[in-house]
Amino acid sequence: MIEIYGGDATYLTLNTSFFFLVVYLSAALNALLITTSLYSTYNYQNKVYEVAEVQIKVSHELLKMNDKLSSETTLDYLTNLGNRKALMTDTKNIWDEFSDENRLVSVAMIDVDKFKPINDTYGHEVGDVVLKRIAQIISEISISFNGSAYRYGGEEFIMIFKDIEKQTAQEYMDNLSKHISYISFPEIENKKVSVSIGIYTDYPTSLNNFQDFLSEADRLMYIEKNKKKMKF
């Protein structure tokens, strides 16, 4: 320790000590601020990374949900056949592809005969079971012959075949009708169920559309249904 006596000297000693103290404290404070800043930056970056990871996970989940919802909205909830949305999309694509190319398209309308009494007698849950079994057969026939199948609503179904002759399409539907008629349904006391089918085959062009085919298939289906009623 160096002691310097005298007014000015003493002031010089105190002033110098104070100066070094200020420098020391300033350096310490700067170090603290830098450390705090680095720590805050580190934490901030970590938070950013965490948020980014959460966003990525959420995005992936949303994509999965979107795919699932998209799939669900094109399938009938009861039968897992295509629904009307799928039907409209598929037929638009068919007409876009087939128009004026001389390629045949067959549209079949399938209606379960006397289905209302089944619902009224055994209940809608049993009616749903019957529809699901018929839909399964329709799906199997559709897959076997490279067709596509849809539930149009209630007990009505639609099948579409491409690039096959009218007679072949009719044979497919005769096969379907016989297959369904052979089945006994234990849910309705082993009774059997029949379907009426109308099928229309023609060339898609720019002058017609799917609704034209469907209307004709529907008309032919009701002709068959009325023939059955006349037999009884």
Side-chain angles (χ1 to χ4, degrees):
M1 176 178 179
I2 300 174
E3 294 183 355
I4 302 176
Y5 297 96
D8 291 337
T10 301
Y11 173 77
L12 179 61
T13 302
L14 293 172
N15 192 42
T16 302
S17 298
F18 180 76
F19 172 79
F20 282 114
L21 177 61
V22 170
V23 171
Y24 173 78
L25 290 176
S26 178
L29 180 59
N30 284 336
L32 179 61
L33 288 173
I34 291 171
T35 302
T36 303
S37 177
L38 289 173
Y39 181 75
S40 298
T41 301
Y42 176 78
N43 278 348
Y44 174 77
Q45 289 177 339
N46 275 350
K47 291 296 182 183
V48 170
Y49 292 145
E50 289 175 4
V51 170
E53 288 178 356
V54 170
Q55 288 176 332
I56 291 171
K57 289 180 180 179
V58 170
S59 296
H60 286 165
E61 289 302 317
L62 287 174
L63 287 173
K64 289 180 182 178
M65 290 176 63
N66 184 60
D67 289 340
K68 183 179 179 182
L69 287 172
S70 178
S71 174
E72 289 176 348
T73 55
T74 56
L75 291 178
D76 176 65
Y77 72 96
L78 179 67
T79 63
N80 280 330
L81 297 178
N83 61 13
R84 283 202 182 196
K85 178 181 178 181
L87 176 64
M88 294 301 104
T89 299
D90 292 349
T91 52
K92 181 183 181 304
N93 292 336
I94 290 172
W95 253 254
D96 288 344
E97 180 184 356
F98 280 41
S99 287
D100 302 317
E101 286 194 5
N102 291 322
R103 297 176 64 183
L104 287 169
V105 170
S106 299
V107 175
M109 171 65 82
I110 304 157
D111 185 82
V112 181
D113 297 326
K114 299 179 181 178
F115 184 71
K116 188 177 183 299
I118 295 175
N119 273 340
D120 292 344
T121 304
Y122 301 99
H124 288 275
E125 289 186 2
V126 170
D128 286 348
V129 172
V130 172
L131 287 179
K132 287 171 71 174
R133 292 191 65 189
I134 291 174
Q136 183 178 358
I137 297 169
I138 290 173
S139 178
E140 290 170 356
I141 295 291
S142 172
I143 292 171
S144 297
F145 299 113
N146 296 317
S148 51
Y150 312 84
R151 185 185 181 196
Y152 194 61
E155 66 272 25
E156 292 183 327
F157 302 89
I158 289 175
M159 295 180 74
I160 297 176
F161 299 96
K162 298 180 288 187
D163 296 317
I164 60 172
E165 296 296 325
K166 179 179 178 179
Q167 184 59 37
T168 304
Q170 186 62 57
E171 289 172 0
Y172 289 170
M173 293 302 94
D174 291 343
N175 186 19
L176 172 64
S177 182
K178 289 177 183 178
H179 193 156
I180 292 173
S181 67
Y182 292 155
I183 298 174
S184 297
F185 292 82
E187 298 83 5
I188 54 174
E189 304 174 64
N190 288 320
K191 293 178 181 177
K192 296 182 178 181
V193 175
S194 65
V195 294
S196 295
I197 304 174
I199 185 162
Y200 180 71
T201 302
D202 206 344
Y203 298 97
T205 71
S206 57
L207 299 178
N208 60 34
N209 56 46
F210 167 69
Q211 287 300 326
D212 296 330
F213 280 51
L214 183 61
S215 295
E216 188 62 19
D218 192 57
R219 185 184 69 81
L220 294 171
M221 182 270 291
Y222 274 105
I223 289 176
E224 182 180 345
K225 190 177 288 287
N226 288 331
K227 287 179 180 179
K228 290 179 180 178
K229 289 180 181 179
M230 293 175 64
K231 289 181 180 179
F232 297 97

